[in-house]
Amino acid sequence: MSAAGSYLVRGAALRDHWFDAPLDHADPSGPSIRLFAREIYDPALEAANLPWLLFLQGGPGGRGNRPLGLTGWLREASKNFRVLMLDQRGTGLSTPASRQTLPLVGGAAAQADYLAHFRATDIVADAELIRAALGSGPWSVFGQSYGGFCALTYLSMAPEGLKEVLITGGLGPLAGPADQVYEATFARLTARNAEYFARYPQDRAQVTRIMRHVACVAECLPTGERLTPERVQMLGNYFGGNTRIDALHYLLEDAFVPTPDGDRLSDGFLAQVSAQVSRAANPLYALMHESIYVQGEASNWAAARVLAAHPEFHPDAEEPLLTGEAVYPWYFEQDPALAPLREVAGLLAARTAGWGPLYDLAQLGRNTVPAAAAVYTDDIYVDHGISLATAAAVQGLQVWETSDFHHDGIADDGEGIFAQLLGMVRG
């Protein structure tokens, strides 16, 4: 382990840590990777030597948050903890995994074998290695979205390392197949589309117009590739938030501008769309997304198979609906950041070897670690019904159901949500 000296960012004290970890924790003598984590604390409480809280970010494939001060849930957490913001393996300042770096490990088959070690079980093993290196006793864990999935794996595989667990929007299914996730997702998305177009009825014709336009006219994103109807549908990612849903309306109203060649999509619109539909910043999200659900079976592009039975989401539908966070094979044809990884993605989708158990149902059933989870009634990414079924399988897990927030609730009222869950686990 190595650490840098502390520094201040708008009242937050930060200290950077690096750790060496085996790629495969079952083979400590094999290849190693580097892990990065950032300590965040209130400098006024440094002498108190507060206990650790590990934050597990959503994703998969998202780096830890970069704080601009003690704001949101960090403000509340820093009253009781030193927060450790982990860049999960393959992300951020940890040894990266992308189209640029993966060729270093070999061809497509070698890359797929390498990425088989980038699952929740490996992230939990990394966390335990880091906890030991920091000299910490059992610590607290806060998991958002996919970070909640990892927290459930932690409760399954290494409960001795945990003092308490908080989860927001992250109670995923404990067993497969992945198809069940996407059946629920498309049902939630159908309702969210209806809610959005009822709020902004003028946007119904605008979305259809944009999709028909890009099907016929070559409109290119700033990265050079053509914008397609399928990628326009990805703007449904805005539906995952309380306030982001309104941001979609402001994006759509800027779509067209008059030109000598007729109405065309504006440069401003195309730049904003590119930021939403590119996976350049988090390629692991696309590569590993369906693997977070599979245990012993292949995903075989589950989302694409389920989508085929929902014609209202097809780009050529009369009034096509917007989609959400699911990953499809065409991602690896249309996104320049993913195109070099197309073969690897296909191998991962067909893979069964290495997709072992993510959860120990017996251990969860006898869990003794205090745990609490926020379950959002209308969450389009982690289904409410699946979340409650998972909660019922974890002994002692307390659930706070609320319709006040969507998937990104901690971005809206992080302080309140964190305080609510911490109060629940501490009685």
Side-chain angles (χ1 to χ4, degrees):
M1 182 187 83
S2 61
S6 63
Y7 54 100
L8 292 175
V9 175
R10 304 182 77 176
L14 310 180
R15 183 178 289 111
D16 298 341
H17 298 265
W18 287 266
F19 309 86
D20 292 314
L23 171 67
D24 180 358
H25 283 272
D27 180 18
S29 63
S32 64
I33 59 173
R34 195 86 157 138
L35 301 173
F36 172 80
R38 177 165 283 132
E39 178 183 353
I40 307 165
Y41 61 95
D42 184 342
L45 299 175
E46 183 169 13
N49 196 30
L50 295 175
W52 288 102
L53 170 77
L54 173 68
F55 180 68
L56 295 173
Q57 169 75 324
R63 69 179 187 176
N65 297 340
R66 270 36 183 180
L68 298 176
L70 293 177
T71 60
W73 70 266
L74 276 172
R75 184 197 305 274
E76 185 66 27
S78 65
K79 297 175 184 178
N80 296 282
F81 300 101
R82 288 175 290 164
V83 176
L84 192 68
M85 188 72 66
L86 174 64
D87 281 353
Q88 296 167 14
R89 53 174 54 201
T91 74
L93 295 179
S94 294
T95 300
S98 68
R99 67 175 177 84
Q100 296 168 299
T101 65
L102 284 170
L104 292 170
V105 305
Q111 292 174 39
D113 289 342
Y114 179 83
L115 291 171
H117 300 294
F118 283 68
R119 298 231 291 168
T121 47
D122 306 286
I123 293 168
V124 168
D126 290 342
E128 279 295 273
L129 179 150
I130 291 170
R131 184 176 68 86
L134 292 173
S136 173
W139 59 6
S140 304
V141 168
F142 178 25
Q144 156 67 12
S145 188
Y146 175 63
F149 291 33
C150 295
L152 288 169
T153 300
Y154 215 146
L155 284 169
S156 296
M157 307 302 181
E160 67 280 2
L162 297 171
K163 176 183 178 183
E164 58 203 358
V165 169
L166 314 179
I167 295 172
T168 50
L171 294 181
L174 296 177
D179 301 51
Q180 65 179 318
V181 173
Y182 299 110
E183 289 288 0
T185 295
F186 286 119
R188 295 280 178 192
L189 275 169
T190 300
R192 191 67 162 154
N193 272 269
E195 178 187 351
Y196 177 79
F197 290 122
R199 184 183 304 190
Y200 297 110
Q202 67 272 38
D203 288 356
R204 177 59 275 177
Q206 182 77 324
V207 168
T208 303
R209 181 189 178 195
I210 293 168
M211 292 184 63
R212 299 288 183 263
H213 175 81
V214 299
C216 301
V217 179
E219 296 279 13
C220 293
L221 298 173
T223 41
E225 76 274 20
R226 182 170 175 171
L227 177 61
T228 63
E230 296 93 338
R231 295 184 90 183
V232 173
Q233 287 181 286
M234 291 173 67
L235 295 176
N237 279 317
Y238 277 101
F239 290 166
N242 283 42
T243 57
R244 294 182 73 236
I245 190 171
D246 301 301
L248 174 59
H249 170 67
Y250 296 130
L251 169 63
L252 293 173
E253 70 180 7
D254 290 338
F256 288 98
V257 292
T259 78
D261 298 319
D263 286 352
R264 299 294 298 265
L265 295 180
S266 71
D267 288 344
F269 175 80
L270 291 168
Q272 293 175 77
V273 170
S274 182
Q276 292 297 318
V277 305
S278 172
R279 293 296 176 196
N282 57 346
L284 278 180
Y285 179 92
L287 283 167
M288 302 300 293
H289 194 268
E290 292 196 350
S291 78
I292 70 177
Y293 301 113
V294 298
Q295 301 179 76
E297 73 276 0
S299 72
N300 286 323
W301 298 113
R305 287 186 287 101
V306 173
L307 176 67
H310 292 271
E312 66 274 19
F313 285 96
H314 293 186
D316 58 359
E318 184 177 353
E319 292 186 322
L321 301 184
L322 299 177
T323 59
E325 65 168 1
V327 173
Y328 308 99
W330 56 260
Y331 271 33
F332 296 88
E333 301 167 4
Q334 298 186 15
D335 188 337
L338 299 178
L341 301 170
R342 181 179 178 183
E343 185 179 358
V344 181
L347 291 172
L348 290 172
R351 188 183 185 97
T352 56
W355 296 159
L358 293 168
Y359 310 107
D360 182 334
L361 299 185
Q363 178 59 44
L364 292 176
R366 59 175 179 266
N367 173 63
T368 59
V369 177
V375 174
Y376 306 128
T377 307
D378 301 311
D379 196 328
I380 65 169
Y381 296 146
V382 182
D383 180 70
H384 171 261
I386 290 175
S387 295
L388 293 184
T390 293
V394 183
Q395 175 68 34
L397 174 63
Q398 300 179 71
V399 171
W400 173 43
E401 290 186 70
T402 175
S403 59
D404 291 339
F405 305 101
H406 285 267
H407 190 69
D408 66 349
I410 61 171
D412 285 335
D413 184 17
E415 286 185 79
I417 292 172
F418 187 90
Q420 170 77 17
L421 295 178
L422 187 64
M424 290 169 67
V425 297
R426 296 190 171 179

